[in-house]
Each structure stands twice: as structure tokens, then as C-alpha cells.
Amino acid sequence: MPLFALFLTAQRSSARRGAEPLIDPALLRSTSLLAVQAVLFVVNASVAVFFVLTLHLQETLGYTPLQAALTFVPATAGIVAGNVLAFRFTARLGRVLTAAAVTCTLASLTVIAVLALLLGRDLNGWTILVPALTFGAGMGTALNSLFASYMAHTIPEQAGSASGIMNTTVQLGTATGIALFGTLYFTAVGQGSATATAYSLLAAAALLAVGLALTPAMPKATTATPPTATPDTTVQAHEGVR
């Protein structure tokens, strides 16, 4: 809230001076673009839970930083594959692709949580290889489809504002996720690290379910913007693309 209040104050100050606002206000009047922002925030907050899994691997299972990093190599490979999928299919599938990607990420976190509970200290990189791979694929597809969808529904004059909004959303989502799931982990760690890790992963999956519920409000598909359109009319036009 303090950050949002500071932003509003700066916007009003710019308006009083007759200067250009920090961001194009038209972007904040589009419910479909606000939905993209909300889903992006939720996804980034949820994937930050891997911070907790890293703690579990190193502090409880005795992994070195290198071993923990290697455990997440499949997730990195999945992110690369997800980037390719998003690049090829976002324009055609729009929010359907995003919803599928969020579902994949949600399911992967749930599987890892169950494995953490069932295996305890026997959890290792091989046991979570497949869900880590699908987690990365879902995350890569979701994040890139969200960025592509948002930017495709703006015009060149809005590019600076749009990219700033999206990058700020990413940073806020990641910071919120680390704070949220880190707090949950350390609150429940008295029940055992595996249990605390599983709780955190399941909470992240539940948060992704909220993001999934928001995807119907996103644009259906990306479309080309007419070169003569103005920022206001472009956003208003895309209000009908749900």
C-alpha cells in the first residue's frame, strides 16, 4: 500500500505540473490487461517457493550449493522449452495457453509437495526430475505468454509504460512470494523440514489456483493494433477481447 500511495502521489504531482504521467493511465483502465498483471503477480509469487525447496535441500538434506543448483537443471531446461512454446502459440491460443501453463505449474508443485512428505530425507534430484521439468515448462510458458499477451495489446507509444508495469509486477510478485513462503516455512519447520516444505509448496499451488481462476478475464488472443489507433482507443478496443 505505501508503494501504491507513493505512485499515486507522483502521478498527481506530474498532472499538476502538466508533465507526462509516470505511466499511461489508459493501461490501468483495461480490465483485461489488469487481469494479465494479476496473473503475472500470482505466478511470480508462487514460483518463488523454490527458495524454500532450496533451503530444504541444503539445510536438511545436506546438499552443497552446487548440488542444489544441479537439482534444478531440469527446471531450467523446462523453462527453455516453455519459452519456445509461448513464442509459437501465444498469438494463436492467448489465455488458453496461459491457463494450461498455470495448471501444469500447479500440478508440478503439488507432486513435489507430496513427494517431500512421502520420501522425507530420501528426496533427491532424481525423484523430482519429472515434476521439476514440467514445473519449468509451465513457468516458462506462463510468464512469456503473459508478457506477450500484455505487450501485444498495447501500441508502440505505450511500450515504455507497459514494460515498466510488467517488470514492476514481476519484482513485487517475487518479493511477496519469498516473504510469504519463507514465513510459512519457518513457522511450520518445528513439525519437520519436509512437512514445512510441503506446506509451502501446497500454499503456492493454492495461490496458482487463484491465478488460474483469473485467466478467463485475460484477452482471448493477441491481435495486431491498427497503426492509426491512439493509446486510449487501443485499450478500449481490447476491452472486448476477453
Side-chain angles (χ1 to χ4, degrees):
M1 287 300 295
L3 286 175
F4 184 65
L6 182 62
F7 164 74
L8 287 179
T9 301
Q11 286 278 87
R12 290 166 182 164
S13 177
S14 296
R16 284 196 298 268
R17 297 194 309 268
E20 288 293 327
L22 295 177
I23 64 171
D24 187 345
L27 294 173
L28 302 180
R29 292 195 291 267
S30 169
T31 55
S32 60
L33 294 185
L34 287 174
V36 175
Q37 282 181 252
V39 176
L40 181 67
F41 177 87
V42 166
V43 170
N44 276 279
S46 298
V47 300
V49 76
F50 260 49
F51 161 74
V52 168
L53 186 56
T54 302
L55 283 178
H56 180 61
L57 291 176
Q58 295 188 56
E59 299 297 325
T60 303
L61 303 185
Y63 278 43
T64 66
L66 177 60
Q67 289 174 322
L70 291 175
T71 301
F72 299 131
V73 167
T76 304
I79 291 172
V80 174
N83 289 343
V84 175
L85 287 174
F87 178 78
R88 292 188 176 181
F89 297 110
T90 298
R92 187 185 312 170
L93 300 177
R95 66 189 183 190
V96 174
L97 179 64
T98 303
V102 172
T103 301
C104 179
T105 308
L106 186 162
S108 301
L109 288 180
T110 303
V111 170
I112 296 174
V114 172
L115 290 174
L117 280 175
L118 293 179
L119 299 179
R121 297 188 67 88
D122 292 328
L123 185 76
N124 57 60
W126 293 109
T127 57
I128 64 171
L129 189 151
V130 173
L133 179 64
T134 55
F135 168 86
M139 181 178 71
T141 304
L143 293 179
N144 281 277
S145 65
L146 287 165
F147 268 93
S149 179
Y150 193 93
M151 297 305 294
H153 286 81
T154 60
I155 59 174
E157 289 81 359
Q158 296 171 319
S161 291
S163 61
I165 288 173
M166 294 296 276
N167 278 290
T168 300
T169 302
V170 168
Q171 299 299 323
L172 288 175
T174 302
T176 300
I178 291 175
L180 175 63
F181 302 121
T183 300
L184 178 59
Y185 173 83
F186 287 112
T187 299
V189 76
Q191 303 176 47
S193 180
T195 300
T197 299
Y199 284 170
S200 299
L201 290 167
L202 290 174
L207 188 57
L208 281 172
V210 174
L212 183 61
L214 293 173
T215 55
M218 291 173 47
K220 288 183 179 179
T222 55
T223 56
T225 300
T228 57
T230 64
D232 287 344
T233 57
T234 299
V235 171
Q236 291 168 2
H238 285 305
E239 281 295 297
V241 186
R242 302 285 180 88

